[in-house]
Amino acid sequence: MGMSGVLVPPSKLLPLVFFLGFALEISTAAAYSRGDFPAEFVFGSGTSAYQVEGAAAEDGRTPSIWDTAAHSGKSKDNGDIACDQYHKYKEDVQLMVDTGLEAYRFSISWSRLIPNGRGPVNPKGLEYYNNLINELVSHGIEPHVTLFHYDLPQILEDEYEGWLSRKIVDDFTAYAEVCFREFGDRVSHWTTLNEVNVFILGGYDVGSLPPQRCSSPFGNCTSGNSTSEPYIVAHNCLLAHASVARLYKRKYQAKQHGLIGLNLFVYYFVPLTNTTEDVMATQRANDFFVGWFMDPLVFGDYPSILKKNAGARLPSFTQQESDQVKSSFDFIGLNHYTTLHVKDDPERLKAKQRDQLADMGATITDEMIHTDEYPIIPSGMQGSLEYFKQKYRNPPIYIHENGQVLPRNSSLHDTSRVKYLEAYIGSLLDALRNGSNTIGYFTWSFMDLYELLSGYETSFGLYFVDMEDPDLKRYPKLSAYWYSGFLKGDNVTSYVISEAQGKPFPVKEL
């Protein structure tokens, strides 16, 4: 989503910040430290292929639906070059080492590895991912790999409309097998689909995300059907995930000793008022946003309210499909950023033509995210994890994304991001102490990159990437120092941030 705000040109910003620097003084009255988390708990940071790699047309890579969307005229930015991690991966891994990352979450570009969507593997693509994985492993950093992050090969979209067709199940499974076979000896954490709920709602309901399908009055697209396609795509995504998980467990897990899961975007929903209607609407919002996937994965079928409100538009599982989808995960990945309010809205159910959001019979108030930065509501982290604990039998969970959005280039002195991370990691610790089965946490994102909705206008990065520098130089922000200190054992609680004259930003001293 686009964020407003005054942006300072990096050419004016960087010299000032670089030569002044900042000192981060940590109070000795600690609230928590890395040592308060289990030793096996993993901390990392993440990116995705199209957002950082660049080299979009190099070495045999073909376009994905994200390339197409970025060049459709609806976006002024694209990922053609992005952060150029394709060429700068060694430098970036060294930054991860300096920061103290224990793990790095990234995605594989399907169209870089298998340019035709199926069939021959691209040797250059294979070489790149082997090199990146080897570089990480050699420095003691766990690779956590996502197979699909909004970037289906365009050739499959053109051939059979991608995720709308059951054909995707076989092609996605074949692609996943290449990844397991080629990288599974070093990669032991696999995620099939990234925030599949948002991918579907954005891509097939409102049309704001690739592949930009929707229908009036729910969005303005050249093709699509917002009333039925989200449910069809979700069903195919669940079947494809289950197929890949079944393959991994049957053929690779015993010898590679890895884990496989699915990732969802999760808001913490709070009733706008304490009326029974708003409380019930909040549960419906959870069922439509989260239960849409979690109920089949845990219980083998969709929530009853989805069946009731969507009717014949919601596909049904055969008994065999239900059995395959149920328990087809070793962990669940969650992307959590903020808390939203829910208000009962029964009028939406009276419309003759309804999309998935209208079927919810509720209004989600999003005024809190139409600002330059997310409000800091850390209770939403603990609340979300408590919900999964209570509702879905406390599955193993990775927080795959969590971070603060700010206008890009605004400052390396990102105190708001430091406060955000401190608060949310603290709330995560509270959830663990209350019995949550969370096993890892990743900030979004490791560096400023090409964002899904806002391009290069906003950023989540611990590292600033100077897009005006031909070499795309990376600079650590205050948040990189804070996170690095935490990862290396510093106690964190209240802090004082002050300028330190004459002290540059020495990355190697992180």
Side-chain angles (χ1 to χ4, degrees):
M1 61 200 68
M3 300 288 173
S4 61
V6 178
L7 304 184
V8 180
S11 57
K12 297 180 181 178
L13 167 75
L14 286 173
L16 172 68
V17 178
F18 187 80
F19 290 110
L20 286 179
F22 300 107
L24 182 61
E25 185 178 312
I26 305 296
S27 165
T28 55
Y32 66 84
S33 70
R34 173 66 179 90
D36 288 309
F37 291 82
E40 63 274 14
F41 192 97
V42 66
F43 281 96
S45 191
T47 65
S48 85
Y50 189 68
Q51 295 179 272
V52 295
E53 283 180 4
E58 265 186 62
D59 292 342
R61 182 187 180 275
T62 59
S64 72
I65 59 173
W66 201 343
D67 292 81
T68 303
H71 288 276
S72 67
K74 294 182 180 180
S75 172
K76 65 179 180 180
D77 299 318
N78 60 66
D80 289 358
I81 299 173
C83 303
D84 198 27
Q85 190 166 88
Y86 186 76
H87 297 109
K88 297 171 74 68
Y89 70 91
K90 286 190 176 183
E91 173 187 331
D92 288 342
V93 172
Q94 187 57 52
L95 284 183
M96 296 173 204
V97 174
D98 295 339
T99 309
L101 291 195
E102 299 161 9
Y104 177 51
R105 176 178 176 249
F106 64 97
S107 72
I108 289 174
S109 167
W110 185 346
S111 58
R112 188 183 298 283
L113 189 63
I114 307 176
N116 291 322
R118 68 172 76 88
V121 174
N122 175 19
K124 288 288 189 179
L126 184 64
E127 179 184 22
Y128 169 70
Y129 291 112
N130 271 320
N131 288 342
L132 173 60
I133 291 165
N134 289 341
E135 193 74 10
L136 291 166
V137 172
S138 70
H139 287 90
I141 298 173
E142 282 183 6
H144 286 238
V145 174
T146 301
L147 294 173
F148 177 75
H149 197 121
Y150 291 92
D151 53 354
L152 180 76
Q154 183 64 42
I155 193 169
L156 299 184
E157 185 73 20
D158 294 340
E159 182 183 333
Y160 56 74
E161 297 185 324
W163 292 99
L164 270 168
S165 169
R166 288 287 181 101
K167 293 179 181 179
I168 193 68
V169 175
D170 289 342
D171 285 342
F172 186 58
T173 304
Y175 155 60
E177 177 151 32
V178 171
C179 295
F180 299 151
R181 184 180 70 235
E182 299 292 344
F183 312 127
D185 58 329
R186 290 149 292 154
V187 174
S188 55
H189 300 84
W190 298 97
T191 303
T192 52
L193 304 162
N194 178 69
E195 54 188 36
V196 62
N197 47 353
V198 169
F199 165 66
I200 291 166
L201 292 173
Y204 297 87
D205 192 334
V206 298
S208 58
L209 306 177
Q212 297 181 322
R213 294 180 64 90
C214 64
S215 59
S216 179
F218 309 104
N220 181 22
C221 304
T222 56
S223 59
N225 185 334
S226 300
T227 66
S228 60
E229 287 188 2
Y231 293 117
I232 295 168
V233 173
H235 202 72
N236 291 339
C237 284
L238 282 165
L239 295 178
H241 160 79
S243 174
V244 169
R246 189 167 67 253
L247 167 73
Y248 184 72
K249 291 172 180 295
R250 186 184 74 242
K251 192 172 178 180
Y252 294 95
Q253 195 167 45
K255 59 183 177 182
Q256 295 180 355
H257 309 292
L259 304 173
I260 190 161
L262 180 85
N263 175 283
L264 294 170
F265 191 104
V266 178
Y267 290 113
Y268 186 54
F269 291 128
V270 177
L272 185 63
T273 72
N274 61 2
T275 61
T276 301
E277 291 79 7
D278 284 357
V279 171
M280 292 176 66
T282 300
Q283 183 57 56
R284 289 199 304 277
N286 277 313
D287 285 339
F288 272 83
F289 203 68
V290 173
W292 192 11
F293 295 90
M294 285 305 299
D295 274 47
L297 289 168
V298 175
F299 308 121
D301 202 0
Y302 293 115
S304 58
I305 191 65
L306 262 76
K307 293 182 175 182
K308 177 184 176 183
N309 290 7
R313 290 175 289 130
L314 183 69
S316 299
F317 293 108
T318 66
Q319 187 58 53
Q320 182 184 28
E321 290 169 347
S322 174
D323 293 341
Q324 290 173 349
V325 170
K326 185 178 179 180
S327 302
S328 62
F329 64 93
D330 299 312
F331 67 85
I332 295 296
L334 299 183
N335 297 352
H336 173 75
Y337 291 92
T338 195
T339 295
L340 299 179
H341 287 116
V342 180
K343 185 182 188 306
D344 183 43
D345 191 355
E347 291 299 313
R348 301 190 78 179
L349 292 173
K350 296 178 182 178
K352 291 183 179 179
Q353 199 178 17
R354 298 200 305 264
D355 65 346
Q356 196 267 7
L357 295 170
D359 287 338
M360 197 183 297
T363 299
I364 298 173
T365 59
D366 61 354
E367 69 276 0
M368 287 189 291
I369 59 174
H370 289 165
T371 58
D372 283 345
E373 58 192 64
Y374 290 135
I376 299 175
I377 312 174
S379 58
M381 173 73 82
Q382 186 175 0
S384 296
L385 293 174
E386 183 67 20
Y387 183 78
F388 273 74
K389 187 181 86 173
Q390 299 288 349
K391 175 80 172 175
Y392 297 114
R393 303 172 179 168
N394 205 14
I397 286 175
Y398 284 103
I399 299 297
H400 270 159
E401 293 183 20
N402 175 244
Q404 175 64 287
V405 64
L406 294 170
R408 191 182 178 96
N409 306 348
S410 56
S411 177
L412 299 187
H413 194 164
D414 57 347
T415 56
S416 175
R417 184 170 287 116
V418 172
K419 293 176 183 177
Y420 181 101
L421 294 175
E422 180 192 42
Y424 278 78
I425 294 174
S427 183
L428 169 60
L429 180 58
D430 290 339
L432 284 177
R433 288 170 170 167
N434 202 38
S436 171
N437 194 17
T438 307
I439 54 178
Y441 171 92
F442 294 76
T443 69
W444 185 267
S445 52
F446 183 63
M447 64 183 71
D448 292 348
L449 38 71
Y450 174 71
E451 276 299 334
L452 181 59
L453 287 171
S454 56
Y456 299 107
E457 291 181 358
T458 62
S459 73
F460 290 81
L462 302 175
Y463 286 82
F464 171 79
V465 179
D466 186 356
M467 305 300 288
E468 295 184 5
D469 181 344
D471 195 41
L472 298 171
K473 189 169 178 62
R474 284 81 156 122
Y475 296 89
K477 302 178 190 177
L478 191 62
S479 55
Y481 283 102
W482 181 90
Y483 196 46
S484 178
F486 166 71
L487 294 173
K488 295 173 182 178
D490 287 349
N491 293 327
V492 296
T493 180
S494 58
Y495 47 82
V496 178
I497 300 165
S498 59
E499 292 184 353
Q501 295 289 340
K503 180 178 181 295
F505 259 135
V507 176
K508 63 184 179 182
E509 291 183 20
L510 276 172

